Each structure stands twice: as C-alpha cells, then as structure tokens.
Amino acid sequence: MDQVRLVGRDEALARFRQQLGPHQGLLEGLEDNPLPNALEVFLVPGSQEGPQLAEELAKNPGVAQVVSSRPWLHRLERSAATLAAVAVALGFLLFMGVVLLAANTVRLAVYARREYLEVLDLVGATASYVRWPFVLEAVMQALMAAGLASLLVWGLLKVLEAPAELPLGLDLSQLLGFPWQVPIALAGLAVLAGVVGGLWGVGRVLRPQGAG
Amino acid sequence: MVRLTRVSKFYPGRPSAALLDVSLHLPPGQFVYLTGPSGAGKTTLLRLLFAAESPSRGEVRVGGADLGRLSSRQVPLLRRKVGVIFQDFKLIERQSVFDNVALTLRVAGQVGNGLAQRVGEVLEQVDLMDKAQVAAGTLSGGEQQRVAVARALVGRPPLLLADEPTGNLDPQAAMEVMRLVVAAHAAGATVVVATHDPKLLTMVKGARVIHLEAGRLRETT
Ligand SMILES: Nc1ncnc2c1ncn2[C@@H]1O[C@H](COP(=O)(O)OP(=O)(O)OP(=O)(O)O)[C@@H](O)[C@H]1O
Ligand SMILES: [Mg+2]
C-alpha cells in the first residue's frame, strides 16, 4: 500500500462536478449529496496484493462497497497492447515505404545524372565516391520525413489529450505521452531507411561494368 | 604495357564475334593506330583496355594487371592509369572547363593547390587557360575535345586511348587535337588511336598500324 486518502462526500461531489465539466447542470436537481464517504487506497506500483486487500476491506462492517479500478485498468492495458501492435505493424509498413521511396528517388536522380556518372566512372571514381552524395540525399529526405512525422504524432497526441481528469484519478496524458525518445528513434530509423533505400536505388547502375 | 592473348569478345544476343582470337603486344611508349571499317571491333578492343568490357575468352593485360580478373574495387585504380578520349567528348557540359579537368584528380583524392596548379599546367598545354571558368558545353567542338584531352592527360596516365578523337572535328581542330596526342606520346605515354580516317595515319612517322576486319587482326607496317 502506498497511500490512503479520505475523500469526504462533499469533496467527492465537488470532484464529480468538475469531471462533468459543461454538464454540471445534471446535478442541479439534486436535493442533497447522494455520494458516500470514501477511502481511496493507492497501491505501490506493481503490487499484486490488490484483490486480497479488497476482500479484507469488504469484510469490514463499516465498508458498504469496494470498487476496484483493476478490471478497468486491465482492459485499458489490453487495448493499449493491441494499439501498440497495430502501431508497430504500421510503423514497419511505413518504414518499408520510406525505403522504397528513397530507392525510387535515388534511382530517378541517378537516371537524371547518368552522363555525369558515366564520366565519373571513366576517370576512376570509386563506387563509394559516386554513391555517397546520393545516399546522403536520401538520408536528408528521410530525416525531414522523420521530423514531420514526429511533429504530426506530437500534434495528434495533444489533440487526444483529455481536457479533464478521468475517473479514479487517472490521467490520460500519462498513457498517451510523447517521450523524448520518439523523435530520436524516428531519426535513427529514417537514417537507416535512407541508407538502405539509397544504396538500393544506386544499385547496379554504378557498379563498374566489365569487372565480372 | 598492353598484352592481349587470344582474346575473343562476344556480345550477348550476337552470333558473330566482335573480336576473334586477337593477340597483340604493345611495348611501353609505342604509338599505335587501330584501323578498320565500321563494325570491325576497334571500339570493342579499346573498351577491353580500360575494363569497360571483359573478354569472353583470352587474357587482357594492362600494366601487368589481368583485367578479366580485376575486382570492381580495382577497376577505378586501373582507370586512373588510362586516359580515354572519345569522338563525342563526354564532358560534363554544365561544369566549367577547370572542373571537368580537375575531376580526374579529385576522384583520386587530390585537393588544394597541387590540384589547381596541375590543372592550370594542362590547360596551358591545350591552350584553354582563358576559358578555364567557362561552362564546357558552350565551347566549340575543337575546344571541347581539347578539354577532354586535358582531362585524360592531367593524371599523367602511362596509357592513352583515343576512339575516333577527330571524328567530329574540322581539319584544323583535328590537327590541334592530334598534336596534343602526339605530345603526350613524346612525353612517354603509350598511345592507341582508333580511326578510319587515313589522313590521321600520316601524322605520326613510324607509327605502328594495326588493322581490324570483322574482329580479326592484321598488321600493316
Ligand atoms: N554493346 C554492344 N552490344 C552488342 N553488340 C555490340 C556492342 N558494341 C558493339 N557491338 C557489335 O560489335 C561489333 C564491333 O563493334 P565496334 O563498336 O567495336 O566496332 P568499331 O570498329 O568501333 O566500329 P565504328 O568504326 O563504327 O566505330 C559490331 O558488330 C557491333 O554491332
Ligand atoms: Mg567505334
């Protein structure tokens, strides 16, 4: 157990009122406060003793009802896991898309500059000398895409963030947070996509003929 | 410098050989004309010498290296020892004359004052110093070919290959280009000039003349 807090009926009503936000009118008709006094019990994170504690508390003659947020949290966790799986799948598809896009862009660039590349090959440029500008270009584009994507995700989460507290003291923004690792991970993936796509796009075009 | 041993070249989808059983030895410092009608295999032979093609049979050696066995990493190193000039110049038209010539040294990792000085030297030699900053594509054909010669020579290659170098030029410009090729030979390079222009043959006294016909080699001295 982490913390126990008494929530008196009046405080409970005030909180309910706040949660209702613009719908506070619903409470107008109430003559008196229907809410009971309550004890809020916070468990230490990761604790497994919740169900047992609930049982014991229920035996106490002064306790009318024990309400646990556990099933609710479970459902939330499960849907969060599903969402994460969907996000990973989407992310993978997007990654492959960026790779293909980079490859195609580079292929077009190679085609546009084929005369220049022919001359480079002729005067003895190594494959890496020829390739790195193309790969660099692909990486820059992928980085830009990552920046845009980060901004988009950040904006989306801002919009989704709940304006008020959720029941039982839950804060949705904690679940939908935007960790600082996200842009960095996206940038890393973008560089990878740029390099893979770039090299792929440059491909055979620039390998010296005749040596094989 | 160059040694071909029983070299044949077949192109995919072509029943007849572009080169058939060609053996040839060029000692260092030789000046060689490669003649023959259209389709005889002159370009093919030159392309073998800078590893733009590999032989279907036989062995091609340039400066001791067996080109049929070069890895793709080694090809650029060979190209830096072989200067090549084409009928159609193959310049980067939007870039300046200076940059076109400097490219040869830049890809070899050279930078700075040494590069600028060497490029200036060669531009002086081909009489294009005053056009150094002009875009190569705006020059006349004769000037463009001189830029190409400068690009081929700036790295002091021991072997210079020229494929119809005067094919697109008027007689005056052709003379100037050939004078430069001859100068490179005088400076020590082994030179191979492919041409079907008999007038060129008279330009170098005592040059060796090799005749190709339908991929077979015949020497006429
Ligand atoms: N890349 C290629 N693919 C298929 N066939 C080719 C290729 N290059 C050359 N050939 C064929 O090989 C033969 C020799 O061609 P090559 O270009 O070597 O002749 P050439 O002596 O240089 O002719 P020209 O005087 O017209 O330049 C020709 O029959 C030509 O059609
Ligand atoms: Mg030819």
Side-chain angles (χ1 to χ4, degrees):
Chain A
M1 223 183 292
D2 185 30
Q3 195 190 348
V4 182
R5 207 162 70 85
L6 173 73
V7 183
R9 339 173 29 197
D10 295 334
E11 190 189 339
L13 186 63
R15 194 152 84 178
F16 191 34
R17 209 183 277 283
Q18 195 206 335
Q19 282 170 1
L20 283 175
H23 307 294
Q24 290 184 18
L26 289 173
L27 300 179
E28 295 294 286
L30 288 179
E31 270 159 31
D32 54 20
N33 186 351
L35 298 174
N37 289 319
L39 284 174
E40 274 183 1
V41 179
F42 295 88
L43 294 180
V44 179
S47 162
Q48 300 298 316
E49 288 162 12
Q52 197 193 336
L53 187 66
E55 230 169 86
E56 274 169 30
L57 286 173
K59 285 183 198 148
N60 196 308
V63 173
Q65 192 189 9
V66 179
V67 178
S68 168
S69 65
R70 198 157 261 267
W72 196 83
L73 274 180
H74 266 310
R75 239 180 303 144
L76 196 67
E77 260 170 24
R78 232 176 301 125
S79 38
T82 312
L83 270 178
V86 170
V88 165
L90 271 177
F92 180 75
L93 282 178
L94 276 174
F95 179 79
M96 290 314 292
V98 172
V99 167
L100 280 173
L101 212 69
N104 220 39
T105 309
V106 167
R107 204 166 297 152
L108 282 174
V110 165
Y111 184 75
R113 285 187 247 166
R114 63 197 180 285
E115 276 162 3
Y116 173 59
L117 297 175
E118 189 189 348
V119 173
L120 276 182
D121 191 40
L122 181 73
V123 297
T126 57
S128 53
Y129 183 99
V130 174
R131 276 177 194 171
W132 82 261
F134 290 100
V135 173
L136 192 74
E137 199 181 306
V139 167
M140 294 307 282
Q141 281 187 8
L143 271 178
M144 241 147 56
L148 276 176
S150 291
L151 216 65
L152 208 73
V153 170
W154 179 80
L156 202 67
L157 288 179
K158 267 273 173 277
V159 170
L160 283 178
E161 234 169 55
E165 260 178 89
L166 286 179
L168 302 168
L170 283 168
D171 181 358
L172 192 63
S173 66
Q174 273 175 355
L175 291 166
L176 292 176
F178 187 66
W180 57 269
Q181 292 97 330
V182 166
I184 291 177
L186 274 178
L189 283 173
V191 169
L192 192 68
V195 169
V196 171
L199 284 177
W200 188 13
V202 171
R204 280 204 64 82
V205 193
L206 300 178
R207 236 153 274 163
Q209 315 156 279
Chain B
M1 173 59 26
V2 173
R3 189 185 288 277
L4 272 65
T5 313
R6 310 205 61 178
V7 169
S8 296
K9 177 65 185 180
F10 297 89
Y11 286 108
R14 294 242 166 182
S16 58
L19 288 176
L20 196 61
D21 214 18
V22 171
S23 294
L24 177 66
H25 173 62
L26 310 182
Q30 199 162 53
F31 193 109
V32 184
Y33 281 114
L34 196 56
T35 65
S38 185
K42 303 182 292 293
T43 297
T44 300
L45 200 157
L46 289 184
R47 285 177 65 79
L48 286 172
L49 296 185
F50 64 99
E53 301 285 354
S54 50
S56 310
R57 281 208 297 267
E59 191 183 77
V60 178
R61 286 189 166 272
V62 173
D66 180 351
L67 302 199
R69 287 174 199 277
L70 282 191
S71 71
S72 50
R73 281 173 180 283
Q74 292 168 313
V75 169
L77 301 178
L78 170 84
R79 300 259 166 95
R80 293 173 198 177
K81 294 190 195 126
V82 183
V84 192
I85 309 163
F86 301 91
Q87 180 170 358
D88 60 352
F89 323 137
K90 294 199 195 298
L91 299 180
I92 303 165
E93 302 198 341
R94 281 167 307 166
Q95 287 190 4
S96 70
V97 168
F98 182 95
D99 285 336
N100 268 277
V101 176
L103 189 66
T104 304
L105 300 180
R106 286 190 177 129
V107 302
Q110 209 169 314
V111 288
N113 279 340
L115 175 137
Q117 198 184 331
R118 174 62 187 150
V119 173
E121 236 171 73
V122 178
L123 287 181
E124 201 72 67
Q125 209 180 319
V126 302
D127 199 20
L128 283 173
M129 206 48 195
D130 53 331
K131 301 260 166 88
Q133 296 312 323
V134 173
T138 63
L139 300 181
S140 74
E143 289 168 332
Q144 290 199 32
Q145 191 62 304
R146 271 146 57 204
V147 176
V149 172
R151 181 181 66 193
L153 294 180
V154 71
R156 304 180 208 274
L159 178 62
L160 177 64
L161 308 175
D163 194 353
E164 306 279 4
T166 60
N168 281 349
L169 306 180
D170 63 59
Q172 170 69 28
M175 280 290 281
E176 283 165 12
V177 165
M178 282 312 290
R179 189 179 54 76
L180 294 170
V181 172
V182 169
H185 173 244
T190 308
V191 178
V192 184
V193 178
T195 182
H196 45 211
D197 180 0
K199 280 196 301 273
L200 282 192
L201 303 188
T202 61
M203 280 201 57
V204 180
K205 307 272 174 287
R208 184 175 172 188
V209 179
I210 292 168
H211 191 77
L212 271 176
E213 189 118 21
R216 288 171 189 275
L217 195 131
R218 186 158 53 81
E219 199 137 345
T220 57
T221 26

